[in-house]
Amino acid sequence: MTKIGLEIHSQLTKLESKLFCSCKANYREFEPNTNICPICIGLPGSLPRLNQKAVEKATMIAMALNCSTPEKIAFFRKNYFYPDLPKNFQITQLNIYGDTSVGGIGTLMVGEKKIRITRIQLEEDPGRLIYEGSSEKNLVTLVDYNRAGTPLVEIVTEPDFENPREVREFLNILSDLLENLGVSDPSLEGAMRADANVSIEGGNKVEIKNIGSFHDLEKAVHFEITRQQSLHSRNIPIIQETRHWDDKRKITVSSRSKEEDLDYRYFLEGDIPWIKIGNEIKEKLKSEMPESISSKKQRYISKYDIPVQVADVLSSNKFYSDLFEDAHTKENAKEVANIITTDLMGLIDTREKRESSKLKPFHLKEISDSIQSGRITRTSAKNALYEIVKTGKTLSDIISELDLGNVSDEYELLKIIELVILEEPQAVKQAKSNPQTINYLVGKVMQKTKGKADPKLTLDLLKKKIQ
Amino acid sequence: MNIKISALQFTREVKSGNISAEDFIAKTMEQIQNVDDSLHAFLSINDKAVDQAREIDKKIKLGEKIGQCFGMPISIKDNICIKDTKTTCASKMLENFIAPYDATVITKLKQQDAIFVGKVNLDEFAMGLSTEFSAYGPSKNPWNTDYVPGGSSGGSAVSVSAFECVASLGSDTGGSVRNPASFCSTVGYKPTYGLISRYGLISYANSIEQIGPLTRTVEDAAFMLNLIAGLDPNDNTTVDNNNEDYLKDINSGIEGKKIGIIKEMIGEGIDPSVLSATKDAISKLEGLGATCEEVSLDMVKYSVAAYYTITATEAGSNLARYDNLRYGYDFSVEGYEFNSYIEKARKKLGPEVTRRMILGGFVPSAGHTGKYFLKALKVKSKLTRQINDAFKKFDLLISPTVPILPFKIGEKINDPVSLFLIDINTVTANLTGKPAISIPYVISNGLPIGIQLIANSMNDKLLLQAAYALEKTVQLPEVPI
Ligand SMILES: [Zn+2]
C-alpha cells in the first residue's frame, strides 16, 4: 500500500508583525533587507520578544484541526548552519520531551476519510536565498532577511494518504480552512509550502523537499510513486533518503547533502519562558474563532434553501462567503448566492482581479433585488456585473448608461414579436403543433432585444399571438 | 579633587555643588591615562566623556531636570552594547562590531545621566575567570600587577578598584562578577535571574547569566540596582520587581536572621587564609545577632560539571552566528564551500572559546545528550530543589566567593580543569537563579579575599541588607597604586 505523509508550512500572513520583533510579517512589499531589525537578523545582544498574537493564532489552528492543546508550551532551538539563518539556529517547537508545541494529535476529514495530524508547531521562517549568475561557476548567492522571523506554522500529518488526489483534496481543504480562520492568505506567493514523504509496500520512506507549489506537490508525489514502483518491479531496493524536487525537469533528484544525518542538537530556548495557555485563553480563542466552513455550509442550506453544490462552493471560499454575508438579506439570499457562484467567480478568478475589483456588497444587493423585481434580466445582470467590477458605479447608473433596462413595455415588445413571427414562419408552424418548441421563438425575441426582454411577458405574448 | 569616593558620595557632592561633573570626569580620565597602561582595564575610551559632563553641569546650573547619576563615571564590560560604540567581547571575531543599539541597562543609565567612560576588558565572550583569554591581552590586578584580576569581568573590577570609574557593569554567568570583585576587593553582585534585562548583553549562556554591578560599596550596588532593575518588554525573562527601592532600609541589620554555611564550599581545596577569613566573617555575623549553622548541599559536588556542560551547550548555539559571514574579518571565500569556510573562519576564535564550542557541539549531540546534557539539567534541577529546601530553614547562605587567593598571570592558563574548579562556589547561584553578592573582606599577604552571601530568589533586598551589615564590620587598606 502506498503511504504519503505531509509536512505543511503556512505563514501567518494576517499578523501585523514577525514572531519575535516588530518588523512586518508582510515582508513582500519591501526592498531586500529593509524589513529587518537587530532581533530578526540576530545581532549580538538581541533577544527574541515573543508575539503573543502568533501564539494565539497558531493555537486557533490547532483547535480548528481538532488537535490536543497543552497547558504550557515551550520553544526550542534547532541548531544548524545555513546562510539564510541569521543566528545559525532556528527557534521552533519540539514534542520529544512531552507535548509542548501548540498542537498535538488531531484530525481533519477529507470527505469520508480521516487524516490524522501528528503535531502543529510555531516557528520562525528563515530568510530567502536568491541565486544569480549565468553558470554554475559564476553563481552568486544573495541573502534577503526580510522574511527572517516571519511566523510560520508547521502542520505534520501521519502517512494517511494513499494517492496524490487525496493529497490535493486535503491541501485544498486545509488552505480553505486557514483562510477562513483569518490567519493566512494561502494565495500569497510562498505563504504555503509543503514537503512530502512517500513509501510503497516493501520500500523505505523517501522525503521530498523543495516543492514550490501545491500543484507541483501533487506532481512530485505522483512522480515519486511511479519511480518507486518502477524500482520495486525490477527488484531494486528503495533506500531511505531525501530527494529534492527539480522544478524544471519535473522529477525528484537525490539530495547530495545528507540532511537526514544532521544533528540539530535541540535544546530549550531559555530566552522565552514557558507560556501558559489555560482554559480561559482557550475559551476566549474559541469565541473569537470564525464560523467553520462546514457550519457555514449547513446554515446556507437550512436557512436560505441554497442548493448543496452552491453552498459548498460558497462556504469554502472566505472571500466569496464574506461577500455573501455582507450582501444578503433573508429575501435575496438565494439570488445573491446564485450571482456569486455562477457569474462573479468566473469574472474575478485570480487574486489580482479580486484585488482590483471595485465591487462592493451593496452592488450585489442592488442586482439581486433588481432581478427579483423584474427590473433587469439575468443576462443584463451579468453584463452589469462586468461593468461594476471594472468601474464600481451603481447599478442604476449602469442601467441607464448601457440601456440595460428591461423591455417590459407591451406595445414595444409586441412589435418585436410580430417581426419575429414574420421572419420565422417555419418555427411558428412548429410551435403551433408542438408548444414545447416555442422557446426557440422566445430566444429570437431575446436576441433582438439584446437580452432585455422580460422572459415571462415575452412567452405570454407569443402564446397569445400564435394561437 | 578626591576621586576615591563612592557612587552615592559622588552624586551627593555634585548635587550639592561641591564638585562639578566636568572636573570629576576630567580627573577620572586622567587617572585612566595614568594607570591603565599598566593595568589594561579598558579596551576603548569614550573621548567625549568630558564634553558630556560639561552638558550635565550646564543642566544643573540651569536648574533643569537631572537624572540620579549626575554625570557619574561608569565603565561597561565590553559584551554590553552601547549604540555607535565598538562592542568586541574581547574577541577578534567582533573586532569591528559597532552596536547599532543600546542595551536596556544602557538606555536606563543614559536616562539617569550616567557617563560611560569606556568599555572594559573580559575573557573572550566572557569565558574564563582571569581575563587571560581576552584576545587583547590580560588585565592586571591593581593589588599586585603580577596577578590576575579574576574574570570574566576583570576589566570592570580593575577599573572600580583603581579609581578609573566609580562603578561598573559586568555580567555573571558562573561567577564572572563576583570572582573578579573578590580578587580586586570590590563589591560584586549578581541579582536574581530576570531582575535585570539582558537585552543588549551578548549572550554566552543565556539561561543562567545576569548583568550585575561592581562597586566600591554595598550601598552603591543597591543604588545601581535601583536604576537598572525591572520588567523589560525586550527581555521576556525579566520579572516585575514593583519598583522596589533597594537602598531604603539597607541598614536594617541582620539580627535574628538564620544563615547557613555551605559545607561543600569550605572543605577540600580551600586555601587556609580563605577559610579563616570565612570563619571570621561568620563570627562577625553572629556578633550582629545572626545565627549560623552548617548546611549540606551535596549536589554542589556536581555543579561545576553541570555548569560547564550547560554553558558549553548554550555557547555552542549562541556563538554559532559568528560564522564570519556577517561579522568578522576580511577572509576570501575563494576555494571554500559553506561549511569549510565556517570551519576556517572560526579558527580565529581563541583557545577557551574554541574549547567550549567543541564541547558544546558534543555534549548535547544525539548520541551523547543523555549522558551529558540531560544529566547536567538533572543536576541543575536537583540542586535547585536542595537550595530551595535550605531556604526553608535559612534566610541566607554563606561561603567564600572563591576558594583560593588570586593567582599569578600565566600560572594556570594551561590547566583548564583546575581553572574550572575555581568556579565551585559561584556557579550554584547561576544554576539556581539565586541572587549572590561578594563583599570585600580582608587583604591576606597583599591579596584580597571576598565573602559570598546568597539569598532566595527575589530576596535581593534582604541580601543587600546582610551584605551592608557585614561590610560595616570591615576596615580595608587602600589599594597600592
Ligand atoms: Zn525585525
Side-chain angles (χ1 to χ4, degrees):
Chain A
M1 196 174 76
T2 304
K3 284 183 174 176
I4 307 159
L6 297 177
E7 218 181 275
I8 300 124
H9 287 101
S10 171
Q11 292 176 340
L12 301 177
T13 63
K14 296 286 183 186
L15 283 174
E16 185 61 32
S17 44
K18 291 186 181 179
L19 189 51
F20 301 119
C21 64
S22 46
C23 294
K24 296 278 178 255
N26 183 9
Y27 56 86
R28 290 173 178 79
E29 59 205 37
F30 290 87
E31 289 287 306
N33 295 310
T34 58
N35 183 41
I36 56 172
C37 72
I39 297 171
C40 58
I41 58 168
L43 281 192
S46 67
L47 297 172
R49 191 179 57 215
L50 182 64
N51 179 347
Q52 292 291 342
K53 278 267 175 330
V55 174
E56 291 187 2
K57 296 290 181 196
T59 304
M60 222 181 231
I61 294 172
M63 286 159 70
L65 291 175
N66 311 298
C67 293
S68 61
T69 48
E71 279 286 296
K72 278 164 105 187
I73 63 162
F75 287 87
F76 284 78
R77 287 189 187 177
K78 181 181 183 180
N79 296 285
Y80 64 102
F81 287 94
Y82 213 65
D84 63 5
L85 214 53
K87 305 183 287 290
N88 283 329
F89 62 80
Q90 181 195 29
I91 303 179
T92 179
Q93 296 193 290
L94 192 69
N95 283 349
I96 61 170
Y97 303 115
D99 278 5
T100 59
S101 77
V102 288
I105 291 159
T107 52
L108 184 64
M109 296 302 289
V110 176
E112 294 300 301
K113 183 156 185 166
K114 188 194 264 180
I115 301 296
R116 290 169 301 161
I117 309 288
T118 315
R119 64 168 186 274
I120 299 181
Q121 60 195 45
L122 181 59
E123 61 191 25
E124 54 179 342
D125 212 350
R128 255 159 29 96
L129 297 181
I130 297 140
Y131 301 96
E132 278 192 356
S134 47
S135 70
E136 188 78 18
K137 230 184 152 189
N138 293 322
L139 210 62
V140 170
T141 310
L142 301 171
V143 195
D144 177 8
Y145 289 117
N146 281 352
R147 191 178 75 178
T150 301
L152 198 62
V153 164
E154 184 184 79
I155 301 166
V156 181
T157 78
E158 293 290 312
D160 287 347
F161 304 96
E162 287 167 60
N163 56 57
R165 180 186 50 79
E166 287 178 356
V167 169
R168 186 190 58 218
E169 283 173 8
F170 173 84
L171 291 174
N172 285 341
I173 290 172
L174 181 66
S175 61
D176 287 345
L177 180 143
L178 294 176
E179 190 170 18
N180 185 60
L181 275 178
V183 295
S184 186
D185 182 349
S187 69
L188 282 170
E189 190 266 320
M192 258 183 117
R193 288 121 46 192
D195 299 334
N197 55 72
V198 178
S199 64
I200 63 168
E201 187 88 58
N204 281 308
K205 192 167 83 172
V206 174
E207 312 254 0
I208 323 170
K209 289 189 184 281
N210 194 37
I211 309 168
S213 69
F214 285 179
H215 184 70
D216 276 3
L217 179 73
E218 198 182 341
K219 279 194 197 160
V221 169
H222 185 79
F223 174 88
E224 188 55 28
I225 293 169
T226 314
R227 186 188 71 88
Q228 291 184 16
Q229 281 167 344
S230 147
L231 287 176
H232 193 63
S233 68
R234 287 178 286 148
N235 283 321
I236 303 170
I238 300 157
I239 52 163
Q240 186 175 337
E241 61 173 341
T242 299
R243 298 177 71 84
H244 277 221
W245 174 244
D246 185 328
D247 187 36
K248 292 212 178 69
R249 292 187 288 167
K250 305 290 175 202
I251 57 169
T252 65
V253 191
S254 186
S255 294
R256 270 165 296 162
S257 70
K258 290 241 179 285
E259 280 180 49
E260 61 266 44
D261 291 344
L262 271 184
D263 179 359
Y264 293 118
R265 293 180 288 124
Y266 285 103
F267 67 90
L268 203 64
E269 171 54 274
D271 288 334
I272 305 168
W274 288 71
I275 300 126
K276 192 166 179 259
I277 304 179
N279 282 333
E280 214 168 285
I281 299 172
K282 285 176 196 163
E283 286 306 318
K284 185 193 101 158
L285 291 177
K286 218 173 267 172
S287 72
E288 285 171 4
M289 246 155 95
E291 188 181 10
S292 76
I293 291 173
S294 59
S295 136
K296 252 188 225 177
K297 180 178 160 186
Q298 273 318 308
R299 181 163 56 87
Y300 294 167
I301 295 167
S302 59
K303 195 166 171 194
Y304 306 119
D305 196 25
I306 292 171
V308 177
Q309 292 89 333
V310 175
D312 204 22
V313 174
L314 191 61
S315 60
S316 63
N317 185 301
K318 182 168 164 59
F319 177 82
Y320 296 114
S321 65
D322 281 355
L323 206 53
F324 171 79
E325 298 293 346
D326 291 340
H328 84 279
T329 61
K330 198 161 176 20
E331 289 70 35
N332 69 8
K334 228 170 150 173
E335 193 66 61
V336 172
N338 197 28
I339 296 168
I340 291 175
T341 51
T342 56
D343 299 328
L344 190 64
M345 281 186 179
L347 212 52
I348 47 173
D349 56 352
T350 65
R351 179 191 169 78
E352 291 71 37
K353 286 184 194 168
R354 253 181 263 165
E355 272 171 3
S356 62
S357 161
K358 300 265 190 332
L359 179 104
K360 295 275 171 306
F362 77 84
H363 288 120
L364 287 176
K365 192 174 178 309
E366 278 183 334
I367 295 173
S368 58
D369 289 349
S370 300
I371 291 172
Q372 280 180 333
S373 71
R375 190 175 169 210
I376 54 169
T377 63
R378 288 225 158 75
T379 316
S380 301
K382 196 173 174 175
N383 293 334
L385 202 59
Y386 178 78
E387 282 301 311
I388 289 169
V389 166
K390 238 172 44 182
T391 65
K393 289 179 181 165
T394 65
L395 183 64
S396 301
D397 285 352
I398 286 167
I399 288 174
S400 59
E401 268 174 41
L402 299 184
D403 187 25
L404 291 177
N406 264 3
V407 181
S408 49
D409 180 81
E410 247 179 71
Y411 176 71
E412 214 173 300
L413 205 50
L414 266 176
K415 279 203 297 194
I416 295 163
I417 286 169
E418 277 162 7
L419 189 68
V420 168
I421 287 171
L422 271 176
E423 282 173 7
E424 304 279 348
Q426 201 56 36
V428 173
K429 210 185 212 173
Q430 219 171 9
K432 274 181 183 164
S433 60
N434 180 3
Q436 299 273 302
T437 62
I438 200 164
N439 281 335
Y440 176 79
L441 292 168
V442 175
K444 284 286 159 192
V445 176
M446 282 299 182
Q447 237 172 35
K448 286 211 183 304
T449 59
K450 292 185 184 113
K452 296 186 293 176
D454 183 331
K456 198 172 175 301
L457 186 62
T458 308
L459 187 65
D460 288 347
L461 292 174
L462 256 174
K463 274 183 185 162
K464 259 188 222 159
K465 264 285 168 198
I466 287 171
Q467 273 148 17
Chain B
M1 175 180 297
N2 180 18
I3 53 168
K4 299 175 179 179
I5 56 176
S6 75
L8 279 171
Q9 269 173 302
F10 168 83
T11 60
R12 281 194 291 266
E13 293 285 296
V14 177
K15 195 179 179 182
S16 65
N18 288 343
I19 59 172
S20 75
E22 183 182 349
D23 287 350
F24 196 91
I25 293 285
K27 202 78 202 283
T28 302
M29 301 317 279
E30 206 181 299
Q31 174 78 353
I32 296 172
Q33 287 295 323
N34 291 338
V35 303
D36 214 56
D37 276 349
S38 58
L39 296 179
H40 193 232
F42 284 81
L43 292 179
S44 60
I45 304 281
N46 173 13
D47 50 23
K48 295 194 184 69
V50 176
D51 298 338
Q52 288 164 358
R54 195 175 303 127
E55 287 306 307
I56 285 165
D57 286 332
K58 215 180 278 172
K59 271 164 78 173
I60 296 170
K61 210 166 275 167
L62 293 171
E64 284 174 27
K65 199 174 176 312
I66 189 94
Q68 291 181 60
C69 288
F70 292 94
M72 184 170 110
I74 297 177
S75 74
I76 301 292
K77 189 179 184 179
D78 208 19
N79 62 350
I80 297 173
C81 293
I82 302 181
K83 192 172 190 285
D84 300 330
T85 302
K86 256 192 205 176
T87 302
T88 67
C89 285
S91 177
K92 290 284 175 197
M93 191 56 93
L94 290 179
E95 193 168 9
N96 300 308
F97 175 63
I98 295 175
Y101 67 99
D102 279 328
T104 299
V105 289
I106 298 299
T107 306
K108 289 190 169 194
L109 288 175
K110 277 183 177 173
Q111 283 164 357
Q112 297 298 340
D113 289 310
I115 290 175
F116 307 115
V117 288
K119 304 294 286 292
V120 284
N121 203 11
L122 62 150
D123 291 286
E124 184 175 10
F125 282 102
M127 298 176 194
L129 41 81
S130 65
T131 70
E132 289 168 289
F133 293 117
S134 165
Y136 305 103
S139 301
K140 315 280 172 63
N141 194 318
W143 292 83
N144 185 335
T145 52
D146 289 340
Y147 284 75
V148 301
S152 64
S153 311
S156 291
V158 173
S159 63
V160 172
S161 170
F163 308 105
E164 298 172 285
C165 59
V166 299
S168 184
L169 286 186
S171 66
D172 191 315
T173 310
S176 279
V177 161
R178 289 160 286 154
N179 172 294
S182 173
F183 277 14
C184 294
S185 196
T186 74
V187 172
Y189 164 44
K190 181 204 89 78
T192 299
Y193 186 80
L195 200 52
I196 296 176
S197 168
R198 288 179 294 111
Y199 186 73
L201 166 69
I202 297 178
S203 291
Y204 151 31
N206 50 301
S207 77
I208 58 173
E209 66 202 359
Q210 277 288 283
I211 289 174
L214 293 97
T215 53
R216 298 226 164 91
T217 68
V218 173
E219 263 189 308
D220 283 359
F223 173 54
M224 292 291 282
L225 188 63
N226 276 354
L227 303 179
I228 59 177
L231 266 185
D232 177 14
N234 283 322
D235 178 355
N236 285 177
T237 64
T238 50
V239 289
D240 193 355
N241 71 337
N242 298 309
N243 287 319
E244 179 75 82
D245 181 352
Y246 298 93
L247 269 176
K248 192 166 172 267
D249 305 326
I250 196 158
N251 57 1
S252 294
I254 47 158
E255 203 176 336
K257 297 284 183 269
K258 292 202 185 80
I259 300 175
I261 307 155
I262 303 172
K263 199 176 132 206
E264 287 75 11
M265 296 186 186
I266 50 165
E268 213 182 316
I270 192 168
D271 186 287
S273 60
V274 174
L275 184 62
S276 78
T278 309
K279 284 185 172 160
D280 191 58
I282 291 165
S283 65
K284 289 262 183 59
L285 290 168
E286 280 174 335
L288 294 169
T291 50
C292 301
E293 190 185 312
E294 260 189 30
V295 59
S296 171
L297 303 175
D298 64 9
M299 290 315 281
V300 165
K301 287 199 292 271
Y302 309 107
S303 64
V304 172
Y307 168 78
Y308 278 97
T309 305
I310 291 168
T311 53
T313 298
E314 294 188 5
S317 174
N318 286 321
L319 272 62
R321 73 194 70 185
Y322 308 118
D323 53 16
N324 208 47
L325 292 184
R326 289 153 285 238
Y327 327 91
Y329 45 93
D330 285 343
F331 172 26
S332 168
V333 297
E334 222 50 62
Y336 294 98
E337 56 81 40
F338 184 61
N339 286 304
S340 65
Y341 177 79
I342 290 178
E343 197 184 316
K344 178 86 180 158
R346 297 213 292 176
K347 293 227 160 86
K348 202 87 173 188
L349 293 167
E352 187 59 24
V353 173
T354 303
R355 191 152 34 230
R356 298 197 199 183
M357 296 291 276
I358 292 170
L359 192 61
F362 177 75
V363 290
S365 63
H368 304 100
T369 184
K371 216 166 148 190
Y372 299 103
F373 182 60
L374 297 181
K375 234 176 211 162
L377 290 180
K378 242 178 227 163
V379 169
K380 182 177 187 253
S381 64
K382 271 195 154 172
L383 180 64
T384 306
R385 264 205 308 276
Q386 278 189 353
I387 201 166
N388 284 342
D389 282 345
F391 281 123
K392 281 177 193 152
K393 190 169 173 198
F394 299 101
D395 300 297
L396 297 152
L397 300 172
I398 190 169
S399 78
T401 309
V402 189
I404 59 165
L405 291 167
F407 48 92
K408 279 191 171 159
I409 291 170
E411 187 184 328
K412 291 183 190 288
I413 193 155
N414 294 317
D415 187 3
V417 174
S418 83
L419 271 177
F420 284 5
L421 288 172
I422 296 171
D423 284 335
I424 179 97
N425 292 0
T426 43
V427 297
T428 291
N430 301 86
L431 289 173
T432 60
K434 308 298 179 195
I437 192 166
S438 176
I439 304 122
Y441 192 70
V442 72
I443 307 300
S444 168
N445 290 324
L447 293 171
I449 294 172
I451 297 296
Q452 173 177 245
L453 289 170
I454 308 174
N456 206 353
S457 303
M458 297 309 278
N459 270 350
D460 294 70
K461 190 160 181 164
L462 172 69
L463 179 71
L464 289 162
Q465 286 167 348
Y468 181 84
L470 182 61
E471 180 190 46
K472 285 292 165 226
T473 69
V474 176
Q475 267 295 328
L476 291 167
E478 192 167 295
V479 64
I481 51 158

